Amino acid sequence: MCGITGYLAKNAPQFVISALKMLEYRGYDSAGIATSNSKITIKKTLDGIDELGKNLKTKGNVAIGHTRWATHGKVSLKNTHPFTDCKKRVAIVHNGIITNWESLKKKMKNHKFSSETDSEIIAHLIGEQIEHGNTLLDACAKASKKLKGSFAFLAIEKGKKEIVGVCNESPLIVGEGDKIEGFSSDINAFPIQIEKIARLKDKEIAYVGRDKIELFDFNLKKQKIKWEEMEKKRIRLGEIFEHHTIKEIFEQPKVIFNVNMNEIKNAKKLLKSKRIVILACGSSKHAGEIGAREMFEKLKKEVKIEDASEIDYSPVRIDKNTVIIAVSQSGETADVLRVVKKAKGKGAKILSIINNPYSTLEKLSDYSIHLNCGQEIGVGATKSFLMQVLIFKLLSGERIDLKILSRELSKTIKGNLSRIKRISKWMAKKRDAYFIGKGKWKWAAMEGALKLKELSYIHAEGLGSGELKHGPLALIEKNSPLIAVGDNDSASTWNNAYEAKTRGAKIIGIAPRAQSFFDIWLKTSARFPLMSAAVNEQLLAYYTAVANKINPDRPKNLAKSVTVL
Ligand code: F6R
């Protein structure tokens, strides 16, 4: 789960640096760039893309770059891409995981490896083929056939004005404009000069030379390129927002209008199936848990839900009578993709709820409902979570007036903003926090806890409110923050919150009506309490991170799409 990019253009390194900034959400442990002139020149840094761009001595018309989320090998300069072969004739950047790198490495005894990564093997395999007199394109094709796993990589050769891009189970897009050609892991990272793009399929290779782009399979049989006009709407942080996360939270009252009712109507046909299994990870799983309860409540439909990384160990049957609802913002989460592929093999149908329409999950699905909420750059899910919940509610047959929902969400933000900013300063000094709720509210509590911990690094536990007295209450002390979420039917949650208050907890109630014992009340919409509560939780997590001087867009150790198992 890294970002790769490369350009053939005047001032190619500058294009690479700008693109890496847009790809940084995919991983930001370290970054590097390589250019090809009479020799390969490389610069690497552990200090972010701005640092990489400073005093960049590498000039030229050919450059590739990488922003890393470490998988094999710790965060260090030597494990930072690009990598070269022994003779520094080629440089590569790679996104994905090479599963057979160790066995390949054992066979390459005469090669000197400089890193602990799986990726470096690619540079050596290509270098060996170049040594045998192959062109860069031939060398990449031959090397690719030896690799197992998921990989999108770019390769350049010393003194050559060309870039070769290879794709297998990791996203790679090639783009073309006036006097510029290049590659990117993500469509949004292309500069405005790129006018059309083509997504590479698995086992495809794109050759980019001067004014020439060609597509091949791994046997170098030519393929037809399916160009798409480049969308002009690109994501930039506006003047008024300091971070993508807050921008994305504020976008929610608007993006809900993008829900596609036709897709929901068509998807409902699939829900007639005998068995429905929802599959997701993280925040998407929380949305799925809420969805499963909505479907049970309103459609009287029994729905199983499982964490995609746990399903192999759970008593869930998947067969030809099963519809899998795969929920994933990115559509690239490896845990989800793995189970989806397996389920397809057993004859199950795949209905995905997905934000990225160009993702691998989209390709694997029989039908998709799109979140249509625009790219989410902040690493914590915000607007995508809200859209997923909305889609589940609509799928369950709830009639929602989007205009009223939008107004209520705006009111939530405006009405609570200054209060949340104040509480966040208090919260920022805490070590632990507890979020409680019952039924679907348990999952709203779990989401609140996840948001707080990942954005602000405060340990937070989300739990069913009834569970509090079975153990966690032992942790409550004077002024422990306890956030209770619910609606006008949540009497038992309020009882459990009161029990914690009796033991010293400070109660933040997120609810449409205040209870007398709430220390702080964050008012939610009476018509849409759950979605309104989610927005409050997001704001709380965001401002607590800001109060702790943490960049909420890029929590440490995380990346936006988790493409490793
Ligand atoms: C939390 C968060 C993650 C993702 C999870 C699944 O804020 O963003 O927990 O929800 O990694 O990602 P997707 O939805 O892309 O499959």
Side-chain angles (χ1 to χ4, degrees), residues 281-284 327-333 336 379-381 388 447 450-451 454 560-562:
C281 295
S283 290
S284 295
V327 192
S328 174
Q329 186 284 130
S330 61
E332 298 295 348
T333 297
V336 174
V379 164
Q388 289 163 347
E447 177 59 12
L450 174 59
K451 225 61 327 154
E454 70 176 329
K560 187 68 186 163
S561 30
V562 185

